[in-house]
Amino acid sequence: MFKKRPLKIQVSGCSGVAIICFLALLIILLGVTIPFFSFLGLSTLLEKFNLINLDYYSHWYQNFLYFGWLLILILALVFIIDLLALFIMASFNLDYSPMINLLSTMLQFAISTIVYFLVYGSLFHRIDLTWLGASITMAILYLIISTFTTSSIAGPTPDED
């Protein structure tokens, strides 16, 4: 059924070496920056500029549960606000244009930052966050979530007409 054929990729010497060097550099760059820019790295960076003050527990599993629960609640807040925005855009029959998308994202960002600072700030006493720190954290979360979600208002496909 399947014939064994050798896989031939024709790339000249210089461009092949350049592609392999680029991929190796990309893997090394990701390996170095991911631990630095993870949430532990983000909290360290925010503490360096006095935008956050964290009071850690004595055991690692307590910290994991505390900050993990906070992260889950923040993501739930972002998803709920995004869902409400999609319902509002659908109920007003707004065209899904880049301008509407940008305005919706900025409004969602502002609402989630305010809710995060006012509600979650009072619930989680071990995290003392400034408005700028909350804005930076929510902006990074919105960037992460926007890469994993593809929610949009889609019109009918040509097959449905």
Side-chain angles (χ1 to χ4, degrees), residues 1 27 30 32 36 50 74 82 130 132 141-142 149 152 159:
M1 184 170 160
I27 290 170
L30 285 175
V32 169
F36 181 71
N50 294 325
I74 290 171
D82 186 37
T130 64
L132 182 61
L141 282 174
Y142 263 95
T149 60
S152 65
D159 296 338

Side-chain angles (χ1 to χ4, degrees), residues 6-65:
L7 180 63
K8 293 183 180 179
I9 299 174
Q10 297 180 359
V11 179
S12 67
C14 291
S15 60
V17 170
I19 290 172
I20 290 175
C21 288
F22 175 73
L23 289 176
L25 183 65
L26 184 68
I27 290 170
I28 291 170
L29 185 67
L30 285 175
V32 169
T33 58
I34 285 176
F36 181 71
F37 287 116
S38 66
F39 284 103
L40 181 62
L42 176 66
S43 65
T44 305
L45 199 61
L46 291 175
E47 277 183 325
K48 182 179 179 181
F49 294 108
N50 294 325
L51 298 174
I52 191 171
N53 185 15
L54 297 174
D55 186 20
Y56 293 107
Y57 286 105
S58 59
H59 300 288
W60 67 269
Y61 62 89
Q62 291 174 328
N63 291 324
F64 178 75
L65 290 174

Side-chain angles (χ1 to χ4, degrees), residues 44-102:
T44 305
L45 199 61
L46 291 175
E47 277 183 325
K48 182 179 179 181
F49 294 108
N50 294 325
L51 298 174
I52 191 171
N53 185 15
L54 297 174
D55 186 20
Y56 293 107
Y57 286 105
S58 59
H59 300 288
W60 67 269
Y61 62 89
Q62 291 174 328
N63 291 324
F64 178 75
L65 290 174
Y66 187 80
F67 294 110
W69 181 246
L70 174 67
L71 185 61
I72 289 170
L73 287 177
I74 290 171
L75 292 175
L77 171 73
V78 169
F79 285 133
I80 289 170
I81 290 175
D82 186 37
L83 186 64
L84 287 174
L86 284 175
F87 282 142
I88 290 170
M89 284 191 286
S91 65
F92 287 121
N93 292 330
L94 295 173
D95 293 331
Y96 198 72
S97 65
M99 187 62 181
I100 295 291
N101 188 17
L102 179 67

Side-chain angles (χ1 to χ4, degrees), residues 91-131:
S91 65
F92 287 121
N93 292 330
L94 295 173
D95 293 331
Y96 198 72
S97 65
M99 187 62 181
I100 295 291
N101 188 17
L102 179 67
L103 186 65
S104 171
T105 303
M106 291 178 70
L107 191 61
Q108 289 176 40
F109 170 73
I111 291 170
S112 62
T113 302
I114 291 169
V115 169
Y116 172 76
F117 193 76
L118 296 177
V119 175
Y120 291 166
S122 63
L123 292 176
F124 292 90
H125 299 290
R126 292 185 169 268
I127 301 171
D128 184 26
L129 200 62
T130 64
W131 279 98

